[in-house]
Every structure is written in structure tokens, then in C-alpha cells.
């Protein structure tokens, strides 16, 4: 098809489109009096503010996420341990120890096993609580291992559990605690099958009470040392917090073991004096185990702003020590001889006195 030259000529005759503006016409326009639309200005400012708030929120979230994670990681469970009937523990103390181990491992985890960057690595209270819990259970297990041994040798499973509960520097505690729980469970299974010749329960409880009183005395000394130290932090130093939660952890173990011993010996409730002494000991240890300050304070002087929680815990521990020794002495006291109510006749009259 040949090129139609009439197209170009028609364009020249009609001229350019009406909407086309030349460069000279653009230069002649006066923009001085032009103003932007107020609606557009509003949306521009709104967009800039939204973007600024979005960037600020991201910055604050990144900066504040780690401290918030540290606070949320610090979870100390000091509630009572309830042994369910379905578990059927033959040796309740073993059930308490296993439950405490599982509670720490299945909760927030073992703080000392966390890497340095983890929020729990920045904690003070929870590592002290967990370390004292493991050490207290190790000492308790060592004691009952000696009580349940044969021919002067401690029980193998309990002795193994005691060694495993004692942590080693640089070694993760989770596998050690898991193995310790397994050893305690083996001992409980042997008790269930009557393969262990258990000693007298009240004699064992007496030894436990004296051990708990020793814990209380040692913790009182540590608390007193920190109270009399020159203040190095406000409201309390890291060492103040460590000593406080270590004493609290041992108090919780003592309370739970007393509750387990009482549940395992219902006959104790039939003796009014024993029942009253046990109530007193439980109440004293409960006050020490359940003290729950929002922030530990070792305030000097009269405590105008904050109380001295170390002094309060030391006072509770002193009561617990006294009550434990009183109950131990009562358990060790020989039973009073039974008196017979024999009717006596008054001489010469035959009347019954």
C-alpha cells in the first residue's frame, strides 16, 4: 500500500492539537499566585507523622524487647507441691523432689544453662533459687540415702541422685537433673516392691527437722552478714538478692518435706501435742517460704521508704528453727507410760474411790 501524503498535509492544515502547550507559553505563565491544595498538605503531614511513629515504635520495640524478656523470664514458683493420688508415691519425699525438679526444668528452664545472650543469663534471683534448690535436694537426698542404706553403706540410687544434684562448673544441669529424677524414681519403685527396709519414719523426720534447723541457722548468718554490709546497691545488691532467694529456696524444700511427712503419717494427728507442734513448724516455714517481695530491699536505717526483706526473712527463719527443734525434741521424747485407771477401795468401808 502506497503512502498517503494527504495525512501529512491534513495535519498541517489543521495545526497542532489544542491541548499542546509550547515552551514559550509555559515560560509566560505566572506561578507566583499558585497555592497547593490544603487537603493534599494535610495528607502529606499525616503521612510523615505516621511514618515517624512507625519508625519510633520499631526502635522502641527493639530496644525494650530484651529488658521485657528479662522480666518475664524471672518466674519463681513457690506454690505448694500436691502429689496426685494417681501417681501413688511409695516414698513421698522422693515424689516431692522429683516434682520440684520437673517444675524447674519444664517451667522457664534452668537459668544457668542459658547462653550469655539469653535474657535469663541476666537474672539474679532465679539462678540463686534454682542453685539452692538443687543443693538443698542434694543434701536431703544424701541424708535419706544414709538412713536407708544397708550395712553402713548408703542406698545406691539415692547416693547417685545426690551426686547428680550437685552441679559441676561449666556442665549443663538439665541432663544431671533428669538422671537424678530417674534415680529417685528407681528408689521409689523399689520401696513399692518392698525391696527397701525403711527405717522408722518418725526417727527419719527427727533427723530431717534437725537438718532443716541447721539450714535456718546458716541462712540467718548469711542474711545477717548482708544486712550489716555497707550498701553497694539500691534497694539491694546482687549478693543481697542471691542470699535472700537461696534462703527462700531451702525454706520451700523444708516446708514441702514436712507436708509430705505429715501426709505419710496420719497417726501423728491423733497426738494433740505432736499435732500442735507440727502446725507451728509448718506455719513458721510457710512464712519463710512464701515471702514474696516485688523488689528485694535491704534498706538501711529505719526503712522509711522500703522495708528490709532480709531482716524479715531472718526473723521468719528464726521462728522456723525454734519450731523445728521443738518438734524434733518432742518426737525423740520417750512415750509416757500408760496409766491404768484402777478402782481403789477405801479401807474399812468398801467404797470405791
Amino acid at each position: 500500500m502506497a503512502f498517503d501524503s494527504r495525512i501529512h498535509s491534513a495535519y498541517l492544515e489543521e495545526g497542532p492539537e489544542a491541548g499542546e502547550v509550547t515552551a514559550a507559553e509555559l515560560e509566560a505563565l505566572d506561578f507566583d499566585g499558585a497555592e497547593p491544595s490544603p487537603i493534599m498538605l494535610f495528607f502529606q503531614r499525616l503521612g510523615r507523622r505516621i511514618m515517624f511513629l512507625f519508625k519510633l515504635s520499631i526502635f522502641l520495640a527493639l530496644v525494650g524487647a530484651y529488658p521485657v524478656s528479662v522480666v518475664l523470664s524471672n518466674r519463681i514458683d513457690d506454690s505448694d507441691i500436691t502429689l496426685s493420688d494417681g501417681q501413688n508415691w511409695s516414698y513421698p519425699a522422693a515424689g516431692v523432689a522429683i516434682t520440684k525438679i520437673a517444675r524447674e526444668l519444664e517451667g522457664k528452664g534452668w537459668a544457668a544453662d542459658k547462653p550469655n545472650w539469653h535474657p535469663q543469663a541476666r537474672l539474679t534471683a532465679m539462678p540463686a533459687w534454682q542453685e539452692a534448690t538443687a543443693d538443698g535436694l542434694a543434701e536431703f537426698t544424701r541424708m535419706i540415702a544414709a538412713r536407708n542404706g544397708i550395712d553402713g553403706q548408703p542406698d545406691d540410687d539415692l547416693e547417685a541422685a545426690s551426686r547428680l544434684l550437685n552441679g559441676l562448673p561449666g556442665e549443663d544441669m538439665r541432663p544431671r537433673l533428669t538422671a537424678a529424677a530417674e534415680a529417685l524414681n528407681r528408689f521409689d519403685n523399689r520401696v513399692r516392691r518392698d525391696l527397701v527396709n525403711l527405717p522408722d519414719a518418725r526417727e527419719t523426720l527427727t533427723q530431717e527437722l534437725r537438718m532443716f534447723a541447721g539450714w535456718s541457722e546458716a541462712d540467718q548468718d548469711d542474711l545477717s552478714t548482708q544486712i550489716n554490709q555497707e550498701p553497694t546497691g539500691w534497694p539491694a545488691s546482687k549478693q543481697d538478692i542471691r542470699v535472700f532467694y537461696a534462703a527462700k529456696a531451702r525454706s520451700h524444700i523444708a516446708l514441702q518435706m514436712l507436708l509430705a511427712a505429715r501426709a505419710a503419717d496420719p497417726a501423728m494427728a491423733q497426738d494433740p501435742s505432736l499435732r500442735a507442734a507440727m502446725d507451728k513448724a509448718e506455719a513458721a516455714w510457710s512464712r519463710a517460704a512464701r515471702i514474696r517481695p516485688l523488689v528485694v530491699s535491704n534498706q538501711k536505717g529505719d526503712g522509711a521508704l522500703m522495708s528490709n526483706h532480709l531482716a524479715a526473712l531472718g526473723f521468719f527463719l528464726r521462728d522456723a528453727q525454734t519450731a523445728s527443734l521443738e518438734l524434733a525434741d518432742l518426737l525423740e521424747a520417750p512415750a509416757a507410760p500408760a496409766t491404768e485407771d484402777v478402782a481403789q477401795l477405801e479401807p474399812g468401808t468398801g467404797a470405791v474411790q
Side-chain angles (χ1 to χ4, degrees), residues 110-178:
W110 201 260
D113 290 351
K114 306 298 182 182
N116 291 332
W117 57 265
H118 197 278
Q120 280 185 288
R122 308 274 76 83
L123 298 177
T124 302
M126 188 172 178
W129 164 273
Q130 291 181 336
E131 182 180 356
T133 296
D135 292 343
L137 289 177
E139 185 175 352
F140 179 86
T141 306
R142 190 181 307 114
M143 185 271 294
I144 61 174
R147 291 280 304 167
N148 292 278
I150 300 176
D151 298 331
Q153 297 297 321
D155 183 85
D156 292 337
D157 287 327
L158 294 178
E159 183 70 13
S162 176
R163 289 196 305 268
L164 291 166
L165 286 166
N166 280 322
L168 296 176
E171 185 172 347
D172 288 348
M173 281 296 292
R174 175 174 284 273
R176 296 180 64 88
L177 293 173
T178 302

Side-chain angles (χ1 to χ4, degrees), residues 193-209:
R193 299 196 302 270
D194 293 330
L195 299 178
V196 178
N197 186 17
L198 294 176
D200 182 72
R202 295 196 178 182
E203 292 181 2
T204 302
L205 177 58
T206 301
Q207 192 165 350
E208 292 177 11
L209 288 165

Side-chain angles (χ1 to χ4, degrees), residues 304-325:
L305 295 179
M306 300 182 71
S307 62
N308 193 315
H309 295 116
L310 275 68
L313 180 56
F315 177 79
F316 295 153
L317 287 172
R318 184 172 182 83
D319 283 349
Q321 178 186 4
T322 302
S324 297
L325 293 177

Side-chain angles (χ1 to χ4, degrees), residues 81-273:
I81 293 176
T82 303
L83 300 177
S84 62
D85 296 336
Q87 291 175 312
N88 294 324
W89 294 103
S90 301
Y91 198 78
V96 171
I98 291 173
T99 305
K100 278 191 69 66
I101 292 172
R103 176 183 288 185
E104 297 299 330
L105 292 182
E106 302 305 324
K108 293 295 183 178
W110 201 260
D113 290 351
K114 306 298 182 182
N116 291 332
W117 57 265
H118 197 278
Q120 280 185 288
R122 308 274 76 83
L123 298 177
T124 302
M126 188 172 178
W129 164 273
Q130 291 181 336
E131 182 180 356
T133 296
D135 292 343
L137 289 177
E139 185 175 352
F140 179 86
T141 306
R142 190 181 307 114
M143 185 271 294
I144 61 174
R147 291 280 304 167
N148 292 278
I150 300 176
D151 298 331
Q153 297 297 321
D155 183 85
D156 292 337
D157 287 327
L158 294 178
E159 183 70 13
S162 176
R163 289 196 305 268
L164 291 166
L165 286 166
N166 280 322
L168 296 176
E171 185 172 347
D172 288 348
M173 281 296 292
R174 175 174 284 273
R176 296 180 64 88
L177 293 173
T178 302
E182 293 173 353
L184 289 167
N185 190 55
R186 287 196 300 270
F187 174 77
D188 185 77
N189 289 334
R190 287 167 47 216
V191 173
R192 183 180 298 111
R193 299 196 302 270
D194 293 330
L195 299 178
V196 178
N197 186 17
L198 294 176
D200 182 72
R202 295 196 178 182
E203 292 181 2
T204 302
L205 177 58
T206 301
Q207 192 165 350
E208 292 177 11
L209 288 165
R210 298 199 179 279
M211 182 180 67
F212 298 156
W215 288 358
S216 175
E217 184 177 6
D219 286 330
Q220 288 176 65
D221 292 339
D222 292 340
L223 291 167
S224 178
T225 300
Q226 291 304 122
I227 291 172
N228 295 319
Q229 289 279 352
E230 288 296 326
T232 58
W234 192 91
S237 66
K238 287 188 175 181
Q239 186 59 24
D240 294 335
I241 298 172
R242 292 189 187 99
V243 170
F244 179 88
Y245 277 97
K248 177 179 168 69
R250 281 183 282 268
S251 300
H252 190 258
I253 294 174
L255 174 62
Q256 301 310 310
M257 293 304 177
L258 285 180
L259 293 174
R262 184 170 194 167
D265 189 3
M268 190 179 300
Q270 300 176 1
D271 189 326
S273 59

Side-chain angles (χ1 to χ4, degrees), residues 287-300:
R287 287 191 293 269
R290 292 172 181 158
I291 180 172
R292 298 171 183 173
L294 182 62
V295 177
V296 174
S297 171
N298 188 16
Q299 185 82 1
K300 306 300 180 183

